[in-house]
């Protein structure tokens, strides 16, 4: 029942005949209960994920956790704007009896948060592709500062992309057929939130899988040690996390995309109760995507499980950043050279014994 709505108020724009022809909500109070439970579970879980990822980001200084932090933060914004404000307050509590300007402003923020939640996964996918297919380049360009700048650009573009949806029509309450503006907004919406990111995920994930299979075939042909075989397993866990996140997104958002296009070209949500039911269920599945990443991370990543355990047990883990390997080597070389120079100076200051003096003479 929750949708990205900024349409006109029903009491001002619809007559009694249109109100009688409106399709009924078959699910009744089930969406209210579902979204309330999703909000009560999803927000605390995402906050826990945010704290655990922040610990890992500070500890490891990896760009991967910066992207995951951005994804989790955008999921929290989606839950607050779309579920809490858009559905529970505007629709379930106030029955949309609020100023139209407020409805449209909230709708714009809902679309922006939704776009940010989806497109925060794109730079994560690109980062994993570069890490596996171009490792030398990844060491040069992938670091937390650059990742934060990329996320800032993504969030700015997501906010700007939500502005046109200020004129989005409410599918449940607008009785007229979709006009040219509705058609343009619907196609822009499904392209931004589904078709374009899914194409990027499909291409990059396919290249990643082909690269991993090629690497495995090369390792099977060579007689390598077990220590060298341990590295691909670690990369496989990170890749598995990425594939799980993108696959769950593609599955959960596919029904809503199909129902929106069905509403545009076949039958309206306002008139057909079956389309209304399908639209409600599709929205419920789509919003589930904002709360499942925590369980995917726990299932795949052992460091994330350890960080969550430390947070729940109020353990203060080591938050100081770990030095890179070349810094450690430089420090070790510096300490070794200082020790050798100290010993050399001690030998110069120590008086020689008579026998050694004789030999020197």
């Amino acid at each position: 029942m929750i949708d990205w709505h900024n349409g006109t108020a029903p009491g001002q724009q619809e007559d009694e005949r249109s109100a009688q022809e409106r399709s009924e909500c078959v699910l009744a109070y089930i969406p209210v209960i579902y979204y309330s439970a999703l909000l009560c579970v999803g927000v605390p879980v995402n906050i826990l994920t945010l704290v655990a990822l922040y610990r890992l980001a500070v500890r490891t200084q990896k760009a991967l956790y910066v992207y995951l932090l951005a994804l989790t933060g955008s999921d929290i914004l989606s839950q607050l704007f779309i579920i809490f404000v858009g559905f529970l307050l505007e629709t379930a509590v106030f029955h949309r009896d609020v100023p139209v300007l407020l409805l449209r402003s909230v709708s714009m923020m809902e679309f922006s948060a939704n776009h940010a939640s989806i497109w925060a996964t794109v730079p994560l996918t690109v980062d994993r592709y570069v890490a596996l297919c171009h490792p030398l380049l990844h060491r040069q360009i992938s670091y937390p500062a650059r990742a934060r700048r990329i996320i800032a650009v993504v969030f700015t573009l997501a906010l700007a992309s939500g502005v046109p949806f200020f004129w989005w029509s409410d599918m449940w309450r607008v009785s007229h057929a979709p006009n040219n503006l509705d058609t343009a907004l619907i196609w822009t919406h499904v392209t931004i939130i589904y078709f374009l990111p899914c194409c990027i995920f499909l291409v990059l994930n396919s290249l990643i899988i082909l690269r991993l299979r090629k690497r495995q075939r090369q390792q099977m042909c060579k007689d390598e040690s077990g220590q060298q075989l341990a590295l691909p397993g670690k990369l496989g866990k990170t890749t598995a996390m990425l594939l799980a996140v993108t696959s769950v997104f593609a599955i959960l958002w596919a029904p809503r995309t199909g129902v929106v296009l069905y509403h545009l070209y076949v039958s309206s949500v306002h008139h057909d109760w079956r389309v209304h039911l399908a639209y409600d269920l599709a929205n419920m599945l789509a919003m589930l995507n904002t709360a499942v990443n925590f369980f995917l991370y726990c299932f795949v990543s052992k460091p994330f499980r350890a960080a969550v355990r430390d947070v729940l047990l109020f353990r203060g883990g080591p938050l100081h950043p770990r030095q890179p390997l070349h810094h450690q080597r430089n420090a070790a070389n510096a300490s070794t050279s200082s020790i050798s120079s100290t010993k050399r100076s001690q030998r110069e200051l120590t008086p020689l014994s008579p026998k050694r003096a004789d030999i020197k003479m």
Side-chain angles (χ1 to χ4, degrees), residues 96-112:
R96 296 179 57 80
D97 189 14
V98 294
V100 178
L101 181 61
L102 179 60
L103 288 177
R104 294 185 173 184
S105 300
V106 171
S107 174
M108 182 179 64
M109 297 306 300
E110 290 172 356
F111 274 98
S112 298

Side-chain angles (χ1 to χ4, degrees), residues 7-29:
T8 56
Q12 299 176 356
Q13 300 293 331
E14 294 181 352
D15 54 9
E16 295 180 357
R17 181 180 179 182
S18 176
Q20 293 176 357
E21 293 177 354
R22 182 185 304 169
S23 60
E24 297 181 357
C25 180
V26 181
L27 297 177
Y29 290 100

Side-chain angles (χ1 to χ4, degrees), residues 165-218:
F165 296 94
F166 183 87
W167 293 272
W168 179 268
S169 297
D170 189 349
M171 294 184 181
W172 285 298
R173 293 169 174 81
V174 175
S175 58
H176 62 78
N179 52 28
N180 294 331
L181 177 61
D182 296 332
T183 302
L185 289 177
I186 287 176
W187 272 107
T188 302
H189 174 58
V190 297
T191 301
I192 291 177
I193 62 102
Y194 194 76
F195 290 128
L196 187 56
C198 281
C199 290
I200 296 175
F201 297 153
L202 179 62
V203 172
L204 295 182
N205 289 339
S206 300
L207 293 176
I208 289 174
I209 293 175
L210 292 176
R211 179 66 176 179
L212 290 177
R213 289 183 177 178
K214 181 179 179 180
R215 184 179 299 177
Q216 290 177 357
R217 287 195 298 266
Q218 292 177 353

Side-chain angles (χ1 to χ4, degrees), residues 47-325:
I47 292 176
L48 177 61
T49 305
L50 205 66
V51 176
L53 289 176
Y54 176 76
R55 284 172 171 256
L56 291 174
V58 174
R59 186 183 308 167
T60 61
Q61 293 294 307
K62 290 183 178 180
L64 168 67
Y65 295 110
V66 176
Y67 296 127
L68 294 178
L69 277 171
L71 176 60
T72 306
S74 58
D75 285 340
I76 294 176
L77 293 177
S78 298
Q79 291 173 340
L80 293 179
F81 280 109
I82 299 175
I83 298 178
F84 180 69
V85 178
F87 179 80
L88 294 180
L89 289 183
E90 288 184 352
T91 305
V93 177
F94 297 106
H95 302 285
R96 296 179 57 80
D97 189 14
V98 294
V100 178
L101 181 61
L102 179 60
L103 288 177
R104 294 185 173 184
S105 300
V106 171
S107 174
M108 182 179 64
M109 297 306 300
E110 290 172 356
F111 274 98
S112 298
N114 186 23
H115 296 169
S117 176
I118 294 172
W119 279 88
T121 316
V122 174
L124 172 63
T125 308
V126 175
D127 181 79
R128 289 297 89 199
Y129 164 75
V130 176
L132 291 176
C133 299
H134 307 281
L136 297 179
L137 178 63
H138 182 264
R139 295 176 183 177
Q140 299 176 358
I141 66 174
S142 180
Y143 49 89
R146 181 186 291 268
R148 286 190 289 267
R149 290 196 295 268
I150 293 174
I151 291 300
V153 173
V154 170
F155 279 11
T156 302
L157 293 177
L159 181 61
S161 66
V163 174
F165 296 94
F166 183 87
W167 293 272
W168 179 268
S169 297
D170 189 349
M171 294 184 181
W172 285 298
R173 293 169 174 81
V174 175
S175 58
H176 62 78
N179 52 28
N180 294 331
L181 177 61
D182 296 332
T183 302
L185 289 177
I186 287 176
W187 272 107
T188 302
H189 174 58
V190 297
T191 301
I192 291 177
I193 62 102
Y194 194 76
F195 290 128
L196 187 56
C198 281
C199 290
I200 296 175
F201 297 153
L202 179 62
V203 172
L204 295 182
N205 289 339
S206 300
L207 293 176
I208 289 174
I209 293 175
L210 292 176
R211 179 66 176 179
L212 290 177
R213 289 183 177 178
K214 181 179 179 180
R215 184 179 299 177
Q216 290 177 357
R217 287 195 298 266
Q218 292 177 353
Q219 290 173 354
M220 292 176 61
C221 297
K222 296 180 181 180
D223 186 12
E224 295 181 345
S225 62
Q227 184 178 1
Q228 294 177 342
L229 292 176
L231 182 59
K234 183 177 180 180
L235 294 176
K237 291 183 179 180
T238 306
T239 306
M241 181 189 299
L242 171 64
L243 294 177
V245 171
T246 55
S247 300
V248 168
F249 159 75
I251 293 173
L252 294 181
W253 276 89
R256 186 183 183 280
T257 305
V259 173
V260 169
L261 295 178
Y262 189 88
H263 160 83
L264 180 61
Y265 291 106
V266 182
S267 180
S268 173
V269 174
H270 179 81
H271 298 293
D272 194 341
W273 67 269
R274 292 166 296 185
V275 183
H276 192 156
L277 175 62
Y279 194 52
D280 289 342
L281 295 175
N283 284 328
M284 294 166 67
L285 282 178
M287 287 298 98
L288 183 62
N289 187 58
T290 61
V292 299
N293 288 339
F294 169 81
F295 305 99
L296 297 178
Y297 300 160
C298 288
F299 181 75
V300 175
S301 176
K302 184 177 179 181
F304 180 78
R305 292 195 299 268
V308 170
R309 190 184 307 113
D310 292 340
V311 174
L312 293 177
L313 298 178
F314 299 100
R315 296 176 183 173
L319 295 180
H320 57 276
R322 187 172 56 186
Q323 292 184 353
L325 183 59

